[in-house]
Amino acid sequence: LERPLSGTGVLLIVLILIIFFVSAYEIFIANSDSSLLKIASWVFLIFTALSLLSVSKTIITTFKYLPGKWSDAKIVKFGRIGVRKNLTIFRLLLEVTPAGSEVFRVETNLPVRNKNVKLIAEGNIIKVKYLQNDKKSVIPSIEELKKNPAGI
């Protein structure tokens, strides 16, 4: 699933990058005499490199959708396609209504915490982020889920 980083995730990545660069500086540029500091720097460098590698797809998705626009999208159809621990994964058919542009339909997957499953219903409105030149790929968010006033 393509998911961008949350605000907390961005802060964590910035912290990891700072530790990565400080460790690299200590190993390759500072040339300190302390072998304990060198060993600790290598451990931090390897740990942070693996951490960054493990979330690289998410980092790329975050940058890819940075210029994207948020729009409302109505849930036309949905179906459960999987369950993992405390998440239910839905396949959604959405009708996206961009401001000043044509309405379009798109299918996407959305992981939802089990406590929020009741929020997924036909006719409900969710926010999606899409790229102007690629309307087949959207990033849905249920954080601002609104009930359809018509109750459809």
Side-chain angles (χ1 to χ4, degrees), residues 23 26-27 30 32-44:
S23 299
E26 176 58 37
I27 293 167
S32 72
D33 294 333
S34 172
S35 60
L36 182 60
L37 188 57
K38 287 272 191 205
I39 292 169
S41 295
W42 273 108
V43 169
F44 283 130

Side-chain angles (χ1 to χ4, degrees), residues 13-134:
I13 293 300
V14 167
L15 178 63
I16 289 171
L17 281 169
I18 290 169
I19 295 169
F20 177 83
F21 286 118
V22 168
S23 299
Y25 174 81
E26 176 58 37
I27 293 167
F28 301 111
I29 298 172
N31 290 326
S32 72
D33 294 333
S34 172
S35 60
L36 182 60
L37 188 57
K38 287 272 191 205
I39 292 169
S41 295
W42 273 108
V43 169
F44 283 130
L45 185 73
I46 292 168
F47 170 75
T48 55
L50 291 174
S51 297
L52 290 169
L53 187 62
S54 71
V55 294
S56 60
K57 186 174 181 182
T58 304
I59 293 169
I60 291 167
T61 300
T62 301
F63 281 112
K64 176 181 172 185
Y65 282 91
L66 205 53
K69 298 179 179 182
W70 285 102
S71 291
D72 287 340
K74 183 167 84 172
I75 300 173
V76 178
K77 284 185 181 179
F78 70 95
R80 291 182 183 170
I81 59 172
V83 177
R84 294 184 194 163
K85 292 184 183 178
N86 67 340
L87 288 176
T88 301
I89 301 170
F90 289 95
R91 183 76 176 161
L92 304 175
L93 174 61
L94 301 172
E95 189 171 87
V96 182
T97 313
S101 188
E102 281 188 34
V103 174
F104 64 94
R105 285 189 172 193
V106 66
E107 287 188 22
T108 189
N109 293 339
L110 176 65
V112 178
R113 289 195 172 103
N114 289 336
K115 67 180 184 177
N116 295 328
V117 165
K118 63 185 177 291
L119 297 175
I120 303 299
E122 291 178 9
N124 283 355
I125 307 295
I126 66 172
K127 290 284 189 186
V128 296
K129 195 170 197 180
Y130 70 96
L131 299 174
Q132 194 67 28
N133 58 351
D134 181 15

